Amino acid sequence: MSTLAGIDVQQQLETLIQSFQTGDPPMPVVVLHAEDAAADNRVTALVDELREGQRHHGTRYAVALDASAVGSGPARPDGGGSPTERAVHLVRHLGDPRGWGERSASYRRYSFPRLNLVRAIHDAVEAPEMRAHWSPEPADDPSDTLNWRPGPVARAGAQQQLLRLLAKQHWRPRRSSGGRYQLLSPAMQQIVLTGLLGGLTALLSRAEWYVFIPASVALVVVLLAMLNQVPGRAPLLLWLRRESRWFLTTTFLRAGMRQQPTDVRLLHPVRSWRTIAARAFDVAEELRGSGEFPLRLYVLALLEDLRDNHRRWSWDLRGFKRNRPPMLFLQGIGNENGGIELIKAVSDVRSRRSEIDPLLIVASVDAADVPRLEHSIVRHTGSDREDSQRLRRRLSRWYVEWAGNLRSGQSPSQEQTLPWVLKIPLPARDLSELREHEWRCMKARPRLPVARALWSVYSLTALMALLGATGTTWYDDRYGDHCSNGLLSVNQYTTRKEKGAGEIECIGIATNGFRFSGQGPKNKDTPGLKQLEKDIGAANAEVLKNHRDHYVTIVYAGPLSPDDKGTSPVKGVEELKGVYLAQRVINSVGTPVKLRVLAANGGVDLQDQLDMAGHIADYADTDRTVVGVVGLGRDLDSSDAVVAKLRDAGLPVVSGTNSATYLPERYMNWFSLAATDKWQAEQLGRIADQLVDTRKEAVVLVRDTNDKYTKEQAKYGLEMLKKKDFQLAGQGGLLKYDLPKRDVLRMADSVDEICVKGGPSVIYFAGRVEDLWRLAELLNSTSNCSERDMAILTGDDLSKGGNMEHGHGLASNVTLYTVGLTALDESKDSTQFYAAAKKYLKIDATPDSFASGQTPLSHDATKALFEAASNGGTGSDASGEKPQTRAATAANLWQLKIANQATGNIDFTTAEPFGGRTGHSIRLTEIPDAGKARRLCQRPAGVTDDLHCKKVDLSPGK
């Protein structure tokens, strides 16, 4: 501030602003004027300096412009320019939110819905289309057309026309001098909304509830937004807006209006619409008049909007954040520009209202116009007896006196007072410009409101960033590491693993409706798994609904992930079919205990079975109904740790196809229906006895991987060949092939060694069925081997081979001897398995259709585990009224003996703790080149008699 008067006035204003930060002090209309008319220009310059200072301090302020500068607003038909009408133009200009400072001054701009509603009605009143309705008939010839009121019939027509104009304006000012910036034009808004509507409609076609519900809500919002933007109609729920509620309930309007209802209700739209329509027409008639009502209504709307913009207990706590009051600067006010009428209107409206509004007005008036404001409530502000006092002290005392006199100054008896005006005469000596180093500018001590720190755009941004980081972490933990069939169906008992090339494999146990089908690429989904999981889910739902306290849960653990060759899914799906078939058979009979099945995936070829076992154990800790596991049909290096983990969780395991010899010798919780690798090799020795007379040379070809099955087969095959006095080729009788990167089988070197002069004529193939195709191809194309009669002995994995088991792909001089884990022909007449399969699996069930043995073995394993978990394991305890615990189930398995199953009779009573058992099902098959397979010997499960095999054909190529 460049003058002593400016410094004192500015400090007094900042003192008042400081009080505003902690309370609601009454805000005066500060009128500055010079004691000498020669200094009028200095007072105007002082107001300019005050305004510039408030701009630097971040205060929201506006400058009331002269009517000629505004250039907007309705034009009077008679070209009127009275002081009151000019004051109306000043207030209309203040409805522009951009005229109150930039966004940086506070967290968002002011809004003036009440003021804009009055402006909209006023614009409609002054529209050319309304002139005919406001004019009297020629016969009436009234003397005062402005005060003329239409009759009842004409009133109804005028009201309808007014409402049409307001709807055309969308109940907004016709020529808004400052409205909200629109990012899109109305046409583009319609295009965007229509596009959103189409997208949401497409989303609603999905059946998932988590998509349907949000999309439905969004669709309703978009439809309402589109309807709200339709030209020529009133906005939706107009009567429920804050400006409409004020419009209908303020006593300023209600007192002199016709007896119209003022209540508005959401559930009574017609009545509410009639209410606001009647009030709008009443106000429109008053706005036509030339009295003080229009100006008072404009001022009332402005003050109410500003009070609402600083209301503390609002949803955004804006009053706590805006700790500097809004200011209005009026420069050089007088009767001609309407400024004095505006000040009078502010004082009158404040005197009538009981609320405190935050607007602080600073005005400058010429000394010649001071008599127009002589009725200020503060007396004796002259300086004739106070020359010795500093202006700052007088300002402070004058404000205290002004605030105290408000109590009596608003009384009706004080007819000639302006109680809200505080006139401040400025001596000429205090208006002289100081030297630049003496200039001063005080600022109220800044205070960071707690509300702005906790509830503002900045805190919201920080919160959104925190939520985003938390959400990303949560997503990585739940969705990134775990699997999900939808937005809200994440399964904590699964793990997402990348197999390369963007493919995802889902490992773990499927709970709470989760399914493994659909987790991988669409073109590599496991064939048949989707329908199978759907059927199991339906069976589980029926159990949970009708037998909540009388069921046990069995987990099938197998390979359910698709792979490039399609081999692993065949085993997993075939085994899961047997589990599902057993579930349907068990739940269809009248036993009180029912069976619930959960599927668990160990990945392609069970390569991730250790992680799967961890998830099964974790889930078993939360679900006491889980009594055991079936499956685990592949013997890998990790199988030892898998069975140990399940043992620690108290879960017994009944496997259908895992032929490991060491597992029953190490674990009391391990039971298997498959003949062990050692016993299989011993039975193949019966074939070797017939081959040793003419074929002295032999070799064991083993796959060099972490496949425990191949290692066990190689171990026991080598022992068998040594016992049969074969001459062993290679390094100690072993030749290895491997499966390096990208599943490219590397076997050629081993075959070349087999086919050298004098090489072996008997190959014990300790590999997987998928590798046998490559071996047959190499033997057929390699010299020495392509002409030599050869025999290949192999274990039970060939039963998965499909066409290979029928000799397809073998050379003309090669005979294949293989082990099968089932002898289904021996047990087909005594079991109900095939009838149940035809009923529930919808297939023509025969022993040949289940030749691989995967489905029958998993079916029998499930039946065995369920019997131990329900009837004590004997199958004859009719008192089994409730499920067994998992510990009791594991103990009952040692006493299990059930007859007439798919593979024969299941008997675990012959098993020794930490040892083997007898009575496995088995078959030995001879497969000549492209010929029909011949069963050499076989027996069903439960039979312990020795095998008596047919004589083999020692000349396979002839």
Side-chain angles (χ1 to χ4, degrees), residues 118-134:
V118 176
R119 292 172 61 192
I121 297 175
H122 202 178
D123 286 346
V125 168
E126 301 296 338
E129 296 87 341
M130 286 298 300
R131 292 177 182 174
H133 294 277
W134 297 135

Side-chain angles (χ1 to χ4, degrees), residues 844-862:
D844 186 13
T846 63
D848 289 340
S849 60
F850 296 110
S852 68
Q854 308 293 317
T855 300
L857 286 168
S858 61
H859 167 273
D860 289 0
T862 305

Side-chain angles (χ1 to χ4, degrees), residues 59-212:
T59 301
R60 285 289 179 90
Y61 71 89
V63 178
L65 302 178
D66 189 276
S68 60
V70 175
S72 65
R76 296 290 300 178
D78 56 358
S82 66
T84 302
E85 292 174 344
R86 292 169 183 161
V88 168
H89 278 275
L90 295 179
V91 183
R92 284 179 60 90
H93 166 69
L94 299 178
D96 182 1
R98 292 175 295 181
W100 291 84
E102 301 176 354
R103 289 179 181 270
S104 59
S106 185
Y107 81 109
R108 64 186 178 95
R109 285 181 176 147
Y110 286 155
S111 61
F112 297 93
R114 297 164 184 83
L115 185 57
N116 286 330
L117 177 60
V118 176
R119 292 172 61 192
I121 297 175
H122 202 178
D123 286 346
V125 168
E126 301 296 338
E129 296 87 341
M130 286 298 300
R131 292 177 182 174
H133 294 277
W134 297 135
S135 301
E137 295 295 333
D140 296 334
D141 194 20
S143 58
D144 187 2
T145 59
L146 291 179
N147 295 324
W148 175 82
R149 295 292 183 267
V153 177
R155 176 181 172 84
Q159 181 175 344
Q160 291 300 322
Q161 180 64 23
L162 178 71
L163 295 178
R164 281 193 291 268
L165 291 174
L166 285 173
K168 185 178 180 181
Q169 298 172 201
H170 219 59
W171 287 71
R172 296 188 179 97
R174 177 176 294 182
R175 295 182 297 275
S176 178
S177 59
R180 290 186 177 181
Y181 173 74
Q182 291 187 347
L183 183 63
L184 299 175
S185 64
M188 287 301 299
Q189 290 180 15
Q190 293 293 331
I191 294 175
V192 172
L193 290 174
T194 303
L196 288 175
L197 180 62
L200 292 172
T201 305
L203 280 178
L204 287 177
S205 62
R206 297 192 58 180
E208 292 85 349
W209 66 269
Y210 53 82
V211 174
F212 182 81

Side-chain angles (χ1 to χ4, degrees), residues 315-358:
W315 70 270
D316 54 355
L317 303 179
R318 51 185 174 268
F320 289 101
K321 305 169 192 177
R322 295 168 172 171
N323 52 16
R324 295 183 71 87
M327 297 184 67
L328 175 61
F329 291 95
L330 304 174
Q331 296 173 301
I333 63 173
N335 195 46
E336 294 78 9
N337 55 25
I340 292 180
E341 291 299 324
L342 176 58
I343 289 178
K344 290 180 178 180
V346 170
S347 183
D348 291 346
V349 171
R350 282 179 169 177
S351 298
R352 181 170 177 175
R353 296 168 70 244
S354 60
E355 297 89 354
I356 295 293
D357 63 77

Side-chain angles (χ1 to χ4, degrees), residues 532 535-541 543 552 577-589 594-598 840 859 862-863:
L532 196 54
D535 294 339
I536 293 176
N540 289 341
V543 170
V552 294
K577 282 182 182 179
V579 177
Y580 167 66
L581 182 57
Q583 180 188 28
R584 291 299 301 267
V585 172
I586 290 169
N587 292 344
S588 65
V589 298
K594 303 300 179 181
L595 176 60
R596 172 173 168 249
V597 173
L598 296 178
Y840 295 113
H859 167 273
T862 305
K863 289 290 293 291

Side-chain angles (χ1 to χ4, degrees), residues 432-578:
S432 300
E433 185 174 352
L434 301 173
R435 287 175 292 184
E436 188 171 350
H437 71 276
E438 296 179 333
W439 293 5
R440 297 288 184 271
C441 184
M442 174 186 172
K443 182 180 180 181
R445 185 175 67 253
R447 179 177 64 88
L448 179 63
V450 177
R452 178 173 295 180
L454 299 180
W455 187 247
S456 66
V457 172
Y458 307 107
S459 62
L460 181 61
T461 303
L463 179 62
M464 293 301 293
L466 179 62
L467 289 177
T470 304
T472 301
T473 304
W474 177 85
Y475 180 86
D476 289 340
D477 181 57
R478 293 174 63 90
Y479 289 85
D481 296 336
H482 303 293
C483 302
S484 171
N485 286 130
L487 296 177
L488 302 176
S489 61
V490 63
N491 189 337
Q492 293 286 348
Y493 301 103
T494 56
T495 301
R496 289 166 57 94
K497 290 195 173 183
E498 294 188 6
K499 298 191 298 182
E503 296 184 10
I504 300 298
E505 191 172 22
C506 201
I507 307 300
I509 179 173
T511 61
N512 299 325
F514 174 78
R515 296 175 183 175
F516 290 108
S517 54
Q519 292 298 312
K522 292 182 179 180
N523 59 340
K524 292 184 180 180
D525 204 2
T526 305
L529 180 60
K530 182 176 182 180
Q531 184 61 42
L532 196 54
E533 285 190 301
K534 181 179 179 181
D535 294 339
I536 293 176
N540 289 341
E542 196 277 333
V543 170
L544 294 176
K545 179 180 179 181
N546 300 322
H547 309 279
R548 181 170 294 275
D549 298 324
H550 292 83
Y551 71 91
V552 294
T553 301
I554 290 178
V555 178
Y556 165 73
L560 297 176
S561 293
D563 66 353
D564 294 333
K565 300 177 182 179
T567 54
S568 181
V570 171
K571 177 178 178 60
V573 171
E574 290 299 314
E575 288 184 333
L576 192 56
K577 282 182 182 179

